[in-house]
Amino acid sequence: MAAVRGWARPPPMRPARLVSSPQFRRGWWTWVAMRAGLAAGWLSRRLGLGAGVIIRGRVTLALCPSALSRLAAGRRVVLVSGTNGKTTTSHLLAAALRTAGPVAHNATGANMGDGAVAALAADPDAPVAVLEVDELHLAAVATAVDPAVVVLLNLSRDQLDRGSEVRAVAAALAGALSAHPDTVTVANADDPMVVWAATQSPRASTVWVSTGGRWNGDATSCPRCGTTLHGNGDRWRCRCGLARPAPHWVASEAAAVRDRHVIPVGLRLPGQFNLGNAVTAMAAAELMGVDPRRAAAAMSLLPDVAGRYAVVTYRERELRLLLAKNPAGWAEMLGVLDEARPLLVVVNAREADGRDTSWLWDVPFEEIAGRPVVAAGEHCADVGVRLTYAGVEHATVADPLAALALLPTGVVDVVANYTAFHQLRRRLTAAGGESTR
Amino acid sequence: MSAAPELVIGVLLPDLLGTYSDAGNAVVLAQRARWRGIDAGILCVTADTSPPAGCDLYLLGGGEDAAQLFAIEWLARHRTLRRALSERASTFAVCAGLQILGTTLTDVQGRCHGGLGLLDLTTAPRRRRAVGEVITRCVLPGVGLLTGFENHRGATTLGIGVRPLGQVLSGVGNGVPPASRRPAGRTWPVGPSSGGGIEGAVTDRVVATYLHGPVLARNPALADYLLSRVTGQGFPDPDPPEVPDLPGLRRGYLSPTPPRRARFRSHLKPW
């Protein structure tokens, strides 16, 4: 391994002819590593092992550990991070920025260093990159790519077994932002954790967005001093002085308000939280030189986000596929569900989901009573017990496709957490489910 | 206003000690009481209110480090509540709740803080966070095996005034290593209840544990034990037919393979 690491250094001299090509400017070894990664990804797809995105990044990084900074060199990079809405916001932002030129983007949601490498290697010539980054990996990725803009959406508890407590995540993000004083931050003014993280660096320049989120269960105590915060949403302050900054952008009623200018935003994606994501993306797009109205027009065409919000027909049922993986995500999703519509809840507890299923008890499942409900997934029993105590009549079947048979035909809402969602999508595709949108 | 419920469950500081969804324990207790015809109500006592001292059962949940110190200060400040906890009411405490009821609590920086002193136990930080599934054999009569998820950095040493809640079958628990794994030649806290594969703490007023899940959702027998202790009624049927998914849930968690795998994987993680 040591020998391979030694090769990873680029040769000091390069022929002048090759310098003009961006691929060779990054060093021939990076190019070899990138090609090897692409080959591994192709092989993985051909063997049916997966989408091949992560293996592509991992092979490239194994051969050339500095691949991320080399592939990002010379590009303007936007990093999108936070607990919920990373994938959606990065898709919206990439759609907006594509109106101005090619954009490299980790569209599949592979949001650690390997996913970023794979995305940059797939579009080596794109001058702009939009990278969704896991909040625990933001510091490392930011060091490598030196981003022009960092988007911070929200911070709430998610996978407590894997990550750490919300305040510690916020502190790590604050450290990452302090290390890049020239980076502009687009941050959620309604989320005290985000505000605390974004205001740590004295030289920070921040564009504040009011997204109007529904969840504040993780920020009732002040992230700075630990006492109770007063107020929530668009009006909160602490006696230690931490308070909601005046927003530059506000998401309200199917529109973005920027300095009293109202820009209509017509999305095909449902919910207030997606409007918040879109307005955040518009703020970032403006910083990258794209007119907000043009950004809004491009974003309005997006039908679904890596399968989320997609509608799939399977055995006389029209499935609306939704992803929610923590209490904050569920709080937003409950506003999107139709009261009269049958509901399938699919929950796994693998490593990427978080092993602990306790979070189910912070979801107000009482609200879904009165419609046909089936609990499915590898942890369907946990969901079933939770539903019983919430007074929700339901059936419990581990296999989500078998569970569908218990629900009436017609339109069905399906809410799954991370690995359950991807597993279900793969199985629906394999079983001949048709995407109708 | 309608008549006060027969059984009032007070959830203390859910705004500060709600990180690990332990307020679900109150939902379980209230629902199980109602299924037995006991009119039960839940009272959420947040930090900006003055706490009522008349609840029958108080619950404390897990929380982050800063919130934990604030909670100690808050509980110490409200003397009538504190007196109720030590003299009259029953308390069920989880994780940070267990630690703050102890006599002392040392944080990661090495600073020692005084606890509420309701439980004769002290907590110091562990080198590595204990994260994963736990199975214990509960010492309380009729409760049997307990399943839960632990996620803490505390090594808790019990004094002579408390008994452990259970014997650890898999997982870490109170975090003082069992006798067989202790390095030779080093002295560890001695005494019958000073760690060694044990979990939680019990006195005649307090039941405390590190287990989340929420633990009462996964272990109905422990919920019924608490209810019968508070109401003075016996509940012979540990698994009433009202929760059809419970046997499957317990089978899943009490079968030996998944927790071990989870524990092994948690050691591989770099953070």
Side-chain angles (χ1 to χ4, degrees), chain A residues 322-347:
Chain A
L322 303 165
L323 190 147
K325 55 193 172 75
N326 49 36
W330 262 99
E332 306 290 9
M333 216 45 80
L334 284 171
V336 171
L337 300 179
D338 191 298
E339 268 175 48
R341 208 174 273 162
L343 173 66
L344 175 68
V345 180
V346 198
V347 171

PDB file of all heavy atoms in Angstrom, chain A residues 322-347:
ATOM      1  N   LEU A 322     -42.456   8.282  -0.806  1.00  0.00           N
ATOM      2  CA  LEU A 322     -41.945   9.377   0.014  1.00  0.00           C
ATOM      3  C   LEU A 322     -40.880   8.833   0.963  1.00  0.00           C
ATOM      4  O   LEU A 322     -40.945   7.672   1.377  1.00  0.00           O
ATOM      5  CB  LEU A 322     -43.082   9.993   0.838  1.00  0.00           C
ATOM      6  CG  LEU A 322     -44.270  10.515   0.017  1.00  0.00           C
ATOM      7  CD1 LEU A 322     -45.469  10.752   0.913  1.00  0.00           C
ATOM      8  CD2 LEU A 322     -43.891  11.787  -0.715  1.00  0.00           C
ATOM      9  N   LEU A 323     -39.897   9.672   1.282  1.00  0.00           N
ATOM     10  CA  LEU A 323     -38.831   9.245   2.180  1.00  0.00           C
ATOM     11  C   LEU A 323     -38.844  10.096   3.449  1.00  0.00           C
ATOM     12  O   LEU A 323     -38.857  11.323   3.359  1.00  0.00           O
ATOM     13  CB  LEU A 323     -37.480   9.362   1.464  1.00  0.00           C
ATOM     14  CG  LEU A 323     -36.270   8.739   2.163  1.00  0.00           C
ATOM     15  CD1 LEU A 323     -35.284   8.201   1.136  1.00  0.00           C
ATOM     16  CD2 LEU A 323     -35.565   9.715   3.070  1.00  0.00           C
ATOM     17  N   ALA A 324     -38.885   9.450   4.604  1.00  0.00           N
ATOM     18  CA  ALA A 324     -38.761  10.167   5.877  1.00  0.00           C
ATOM     19  C   ALA A 324     -37.963   9.282   6.806  1.00  0.00           C
ATOM     20  O   ALA A 324     -38.271   8.106   6.953  1.00  0.00           O
ATOM     21  CB  ALA A 324     -40.130  10.468   6.479  1.00  0.00           C
ATOM     22  N   LYS A 325     -36.911   9.841   7.408  1.00  0.00           N
ATOM     23  CA  LYS A 325     -36.000   8.980   8.165  1.00  0.00           C
ATOM     24  C   LYS A 325     -35.770   9.417   9.598  1.00  0.00           C
ATOM     25  O   LYS A 325     -34.988   8.819  10.314  1.00  0.00           O
ATOM     26  CB  LYS A 325     -34.657   8.871   7.433  1.00  0.00           C
ATOM     27  CG  LYS A 325     -33.980  10.189   7.122  1.00  0.00           C
ATOM     28  CD  LYS A 325     -32.838   9.961   6.130  1.00  0.00           C
ATOM     29  CE  LYS A 325     -32.242  11.236   5.611  1.00  0.00           C
ATOM     30  NZ  LYS A 325     -31.384  11.951   6.556  1.00  0.00           N
ATOM     31  N   ASN A 326     -36.458  10.455  10.038  1.00  0.00           N
ATOM     32  CA  ASN A 326     -36.300  10.902  11.429  1.00  0.00           C
ATOM     33  C   ASN A 326     -37.543  11.717  11.814  1.00  0.00           C
ATOM     34  O   ASN A 326     -38.374  12.017  10.957  1.00  0.00           O
ATOM     35  CB  ASN A 326     -35.018  11.727  11.574  1.00  0.00           C
ATOM     36  CG  ASN A 326     -34.906  12.800  10.509  1.00  0.00           C
ATOM     37  OD1 ASN A 326     -35.899  13.397  10.105  1.00  0.00           O
ATOM     38  ND2 ASN A 326     -33.711  13.052  10.041  1.00  0.00           N
ATOM     39  N   PRO A 327     -37.690  12.090  13.087  1.00  0.00           N
ATOM     40  CA  PRO A 327     -38.906  12.813  13.493  1.00  0.00           C
ATOM     41  C   PRO A 327     -39.126  14.101  12.706  1.00  0.00           C
ATOM     42  O   PRO A 327     -40.270  14.427  12.351  1.00  0.00           O
ATOM     43  CB  PRO A 327     -38.655  13.112  14.977  1.00  0.00           C
ATOM     44  CG  PRO A 327     -37.724  12.060  15.424  1.00  0.00           C
ATOM     45  CD  PRO A 327     -36.840  11.761  14.254  1.00  0.00           C
ATOM     46  N   ALA A 328     -38.052  14.846  12.428  1.00  0.00           N
ATOM     47  CA  ALA A 328     -38.218  16.103  11.695  1.00  0.00           C
ATOM     48  C   ALA A 328     -38.743  15.833  10.289  1.00  0.00           C
ATOM     49  O   ALA A 328     -39.650  16.512   9.797  1.00  0.00           O
ATOM     50  CB  ALA A 328     -36.890  16.849  11.630  1.00  0.00           C
ATOM     51  N   GLY A 329     -38.196  14.817   9.623  1.00  0.00           N
ATOM     52  CA  GLY A 329     -38.650  14.464   8.284  1.00  0.00           C
ATOM     53  C   GLY A 329     -40.107  14.018   8.289  1.00  0.00           C
ATOM     54  O   GLY A 329     -40.887  14.367   7.406  1.00  0.00           O
ATOM     55  N   TRP A 330     -40.475  13.242   9.309  1.00  0.00           N
ATOM     56  CA  TRP A 330     -41.861  12.782   9.422  1.00  0.00           C
ATOM     57  C   TRP A 330     -42.813  13.932   9.681  1.00  0.00           C
ATOM     58  O   TRP A 330     -43.927  13.960   9.170  1.00  0.00           O
ATOM     59  CB  TRP A 330     -41.992  11.727  10.517  1.00  0.00           C
ATOM     60  CG  TRP A 330     -41.977  10.336   9.980  1.00  0.00           C
ATOM     61  CD1 TRP A 330     -40.915   9.485   9.943  1.00  0.00           C
ATOM     62  CD2 TRP A 330     -43.069   9.625   9.387  1.00  0.00           C
ATOM     63  NE1 TRP A 330     -41.281   8.299   9.381  1.00  0.00           N
ATOM     64  CE2 TRP A 330     -42.595   8.357   9.033  1.00  0.00           C
ATOM     65  CE3 TRP A 330     -44.404   9.946   9.128  1.00  0.00           C
ATOM     66  CZ2 TRP A 330     -43.406   7.398   8.416  1.00  0.00           C
ATOM     67  CZ3 TRP A 330     -45.217   8.986   8.513  1.00  0.00           C
ATOM     68  CH2 TRP A 330     -44.715   7.731   8.169  1.00  0.00           C
ATOM     69  N   ALA A 331     -42.369  14.885  10.533  1.00  0.00           N
ATOM     70  CA  ALA A 331     -43.233  16.029  10.828  1.00  0.00           C
ATOM     71  C   ALA A 331     -43.591  16.750   9.536  1.00  0.00           C
ATOM     72  O   ALA A 331     -44.738  17.171   9.332  1.00  0.00           O
ATOM     73  CB  ALA A 331     -42.535  16.974  11.803  1.00  0.00           C
ATOM     74  N   GLU A 332     -42.617  16.885   8.627  1.00  0.00           N
ATOM     75  CA  GLU A 332     -42.887  17.536   7.346  1.00  0.00           C
ATOM     76  C   GLU A 332     -43.765  16.647   6.470  1.00  0.00           C
ATOM     77  O   GLU A 332     -44.677  17.114   5.784  1.00  0.00           O
ATOM     78  CB  GLU A 332     -41.576  17.824   6.605  1.00  0.00           C
ATOM     79  CG  GLU A 332     -40.546  18.624   7.389  1.00  0.00           C
ATOM     80  CD  GLU A 332     -40.937  20.082   7.603  1.00  0.00           C
ATOM     81  OE1 GLU A 332     -42.088  20.439   7.300  1.00  0.00           O
ATOM     82  OE2 GLU A 332     -40.097  20.852   8.102  1.00  0.00           O
ATOM     83  N   MET A 333     -43.476  15.341   6.495  1.00  0.00           N
ATOM     84  CA  MET A 333     -44.176  14.425   5.597  1.00  0.00           C
ATOM     85  C   MET A 333     -45.656  14.291   5.962  1.00  0.00           C
ATOM     86  O   MET A 333     -46.504  14.145   5.092  1.00  0.00           O
ATOM     87  CB  MET A 333     -43.491  13.055   5.649  1.00  0.00           C
ATOM     88  CG  MET A 333     -43.466  12.327   4.349  1.00  0.00           C
ATOM     89  SD  MET A 333     -42.985  13.369   2.963  1.00  0.00           S
ATOM     90  CE  MET A 333     -41.219  13.399   3.140  1.00  0.00           C
ATOM     91  N   LEU A 334     -45.975  14.371   7.269  1.00  0.00           N
ATOM     92  CA  LEU A 334     -47.375  14.228   7.688  1.00  0.00           C
ATOM     93  C   LEU A 334     -48.249  15.304   7.049  1.00  0.00           C
ATOM     94  O   LEU A 334     -49.431  15.072   6.788  1.00  0.00           O
ATOM     95  CB  LEU A 334     -47.482  14.295   9.217  1.00  0.00           C
ATOM     96  CG  LEU A 334     -47.031  13.040   9.958  1.00  0.00           C
ATOM     97  CD1 LEU A 334     -46.972  13.297  11.455  1.00  0.00           C
ATOM     98  CD2 LEU A 334     -47.949  11.862   9.662  1.00  0.00           C
ATOM     99  N   GLY A 335     -47.648  16.469   6.772  1.00  0.00           N
ATOM    100  CA  GLY A 335     -48.405  17.535   6.132  1.00  0.00           C
ATOM    101  C   GLY A 335     -48.705  17.255   4.666  1.00  0.00           C
ATOM    102  O   GLY A 335     -49.567  17.897   4.062  1.00  0.00           O
ATOM    103  N   VAL A 336     -47.967  16.318   4.075  1.00  0.00           N
ATOM    104  CA  VAL A 336     -48.097  16.024   2.640  1.00  0.00           C
ATOM    105  C   VAL A 336     -49.044  14.852   2.400  1.00  0.00           C
ATOM    106  O   VAL A 336     -49.643  14.718   1.344  1.00  0.00           O
ATOM    107  CB  VAL A 336     -46.683  15.712   2.069  1.00  0.00           C
ATOM    108  CG1 VAL A 336     -46.757  15.182   0.669  1.00  0.00           C
ATOM    109  CG2 VAL A 336     -45.812  16.953   2.129  1.00  0.00           C
ATOM    110  N   LEU A 337     -49.205  13.993   3.433  1.00  0.00           N
ATOM    111  CA  LEU A 337     -50.039  12.796   3.263  1.00  0.00           C
ATOM    112  C   LEU A 337     -51.506  13.184   3.156  1.00  0.00           C
ATOM    113  O   LEU A 337     -51.962  14.128   3.785  1.00  0.00           O
ATOM    114  CB  LEU A 337     -49.855  11.855   4.459  1.00  0.00           C
ATOM    115  CG  LEU A 337     -48.438  11.340   4.704  1.00  0.00           C
ATOM    116  CD1 LEU A 337     -48.423  10.445   5.931  1.00  0.00           C
ATOM    117  CD2 LEU A 337     -47.928  10.574   3.502  1.00  0.00           C
ATOM    118  N   ASP A 338     -52.235  12.401   2.351  1.00  0.00           N
ATOM    119  CA  ASP A 338     -53.670  12.634   2.208  1.00  0.00           C
ATOM    120  C   ASP A 338     -54.404  11.839   3.290  1.00  0.00           C
ATOM    121  O   ASP A 338     -54.158  10.656   3.479  1.00  0.00           O
ATOM    122  CB  ASP A 338     -54.109  12.181   0.814  1.00  0.00           C
ATOM    123  CG  ASP A 338     -55.512  12.642   0.510  1.00  0.00           C
ATOM    124  OD1 ASP A 338     -56.450  12.225   1.223  1.00  0.00           O
ATOM    125  OD2 ASP A 338     -55.664  13.413  -0.436  1.00  0.00           O
ATOM    126  N   GLU A 339     -55.319  12.514   3.985  1.00  0.00           N
ATOM    127  CA  GLU A 339     -56.013  11.894   5.118  1.00  0.00           C
ATOM    128  C   GLU A 339     -56.768  10.624   4.764  1.00  0.00           C
ATOM    129  O   GLU A 339     -56.861   9.700   5.557  1.00  0.00           O
ATOM    130  CB  GLU A 339     -57.027  12.883   5.698  1.00  0.00           C
ATOM    131  CG  GLU A 339     -56.496  13.719   6.815  1.00  0.00           C
ATOM    132  CD  GLU A 339     -57.527  14.746   7.227  1.00  0.00           C
ATOM    133  OE1 GLU A 339     -58.685  14.380   7.412  1.00  0.00           O
ATOM    134  OE2 GLU A 339     -57.148  15.929   7.342  1.00  0.00           O
ATOM    135  N   ALA A 340     -57.340  10.619   3.567  1.00  0.00           N
ATOM    136  CA  ALA A 340     -58.212   9.502   3.212  1.00  0.00           C
ATOM    137  C   ALA A 340     -57.456   8.362   2.541  1.00  0.00           C
ATOM    138  O   ALA A 340     -58.020   7.319   2.264  1.00  0.00           O
ATOM    139  CB  ALA A 340     -59.320   9.999   2.286  1.00  0.00           C
ATOM    140  N   ARG A 341     -56.179   8.583   2.270  1.00  0.00           N
ATOM    141  CA  ARG A 341     -55.446   7.640   1.433  1.00  0.00           C
ATOM    142  C   ARG A 341     -54.803   6.527   2.265  1.00  0.00           C
ATOM    143  O   ARG A 341     -54.266   6.799   3.332  1.00  0.00           O
ATOM    144  CB  ARG A 341     -54.354   8.435   0.725  1.00  0.00           C
ATOM    145  CG  ARG A 341     -53.944   7.883  -0.584  1.00  0.00           C
ATOM    146  CD  ARG A 341     -52.985   8.832  -1.249  1.00  0.00           C
ATOM    147  NE  ARG A 341     -53.633   9.857  -2.020  1.00  0.00           N
ATOM    148  CZ  ARG A 341     -53.031  10.987  -2.395  1.00  0.00           C
ATOM    149  NH1 ARG A 341     -51.791  11.229  -2.031  1.00  0.00           N
ATOM    150  NH2 ARG A 341     -53.662  11.865  -3.109  1.00  0.00           N
ATOM    151  N   PRO A 342     -54.825   5.284   1.771  1.00  0.00           N
ATOM    152  CA  PRO A 342     -54.124   4.211   2.477  1.00  0.00           C
ATOM    153  C   PRO A 342     -52.629   4.527   2.578  1.00  0.00           C
ATOM    154  O   PRO A 342     -52.073   5.194   1.706  1.00  0.00           O
ATOM    155  CB  PRO A 342     -54.339   2.993   1.586  1.00  0.00           C
ATOM    156  CG  PRO A 342     -55.443   3.340   0.672  1.00  0.00           C
ATOM    157  CD  PRO A 342     -55.495   4.821   0.559  1.00  0.00           C
ATOM    158  N   LEU A 343     -52.009   4.017   3.660  1.00  0.00           N
ATOM    159  CA  LEU A 343     -50.616   4.366   3.929  1.00  0.00           C
ATOM    160  C   LEU A 343     -49.811   3.114   4.245  1.00  0.00           C
ATOM    161  O   LEU A 343     -50.209   2.278   5.046  1.00  0.00           O
ATOM    162  CB  LEU A 343     -50.565   5.335   5.120  1.00  0.00           C
ATOM    163  CG  LEU A 343     -49.190   5.716   5.675  1.00  0.00           C
ATOM    164  CD1 LEU A 343     -48.399   6.509   4.653  1.00  0.00           C
ATOM    165  CD2 LEU A 343     -49.346   6.520   6.960  1.00  0.00           C
ATOM    166  N   LEU A 344     -48.641   3.015   3.597  1.00  0.00           N
ATOM    167  CA  LEU A 344     -47.692   1.945   3.904  1.00  0.00           C
ATOM    168  C   LEU A 344     -46.468   2.589   4.537  1.00  0.00           C
ATOM    169  O   LEU A 344     -45.865   3.491   3.950  1.00  0.00           O
ATOM    170  CB  LEU A 344     -47.305   1.193   2.617  1.00  0.00           C
ATOM    171  CG  LEU A 344     -46.231   0.117   2.754  1.00  0.00           C
ATOM    172  CD1 LEU A 344     -46.741  -1.059   3.574  1.00  0.00           C
ATOM    173  CD2 LEU A 344     -45.784  -0.377   1.379  1.00  0.00           C
ATOM    174  N   VAL A 345     -46.108   2.144   5.748  1.00  0.00           N
ATOM    175  CA  VAL A 345     -44.931   2.670   6.444  1.00  0.00           C
ATOM    176  C   VAL A 345     -43.860   1.583   6.436  1.00  0.00           C
ATOM    177  O   VAL A 345     -44.112   0.473   6.911  1.00  0.00           O
ATOM    178  CB  VAL A 345     -45.272   3.054   7.902  1.00  0.00           C
ATOM    179  CG1 VAL A 345     -44.050   3.606   8.608  1.00  0.00           C
ATOM    180  CG2 VAL A 345     -46.400   4.065   7.936  1.00  0.00           C
ATOM    181  N   VAL A 346     -42.691   1.862   5.865  1.00  0.00           N
ATOM    182  CA  VAL A 346     -41.633   0.855   5.770  1.00  0.00           C
ATOM    183  C   VAL A 346     -40.406   1.346   6.535  1.00  0.00           C
ATOM    184  O   VAL A 346     -39.875   2.412   6.229  1.00  0.00           O
ATOM    185  CB  VAL A 346     -41.246   0.576   4.308  1.00  0.00           C
ATOM    186  CG1 VAL A 346     -40.489  -0.736   4.201  1.00  0.00           C
ATOM    187  CG2 VAL A 346     -42.465   0.544   3.404  1.00  0.00           C
ATOM    188  N   VAL A 347     -39.968   0.571   7.529  1.00  0.00           N
ATOM    189  CA  VAL A 347     -38.843   1.007   8.364  1.00  0.00           C
ATOM    190  C   VAL A 347     -37.807  -0.114   8.498  1.00  0.00           C
ATOM    191  O   VAL A 347     -38.125  -1.240   8.862  1.00  0.00           O
ATOM    192  CB  VAL A 347     -39.338   1.453   9.758  1.00  0.00           C
ATOM    193  CG1 VAL A 347     -38.165   1.695  10.697  1.00  0.00           C
ATOM    194  CG2 VAL A 347     -40.167   2.727   9.639  1.00  0.00           C
TER     195      VAL A 347
END
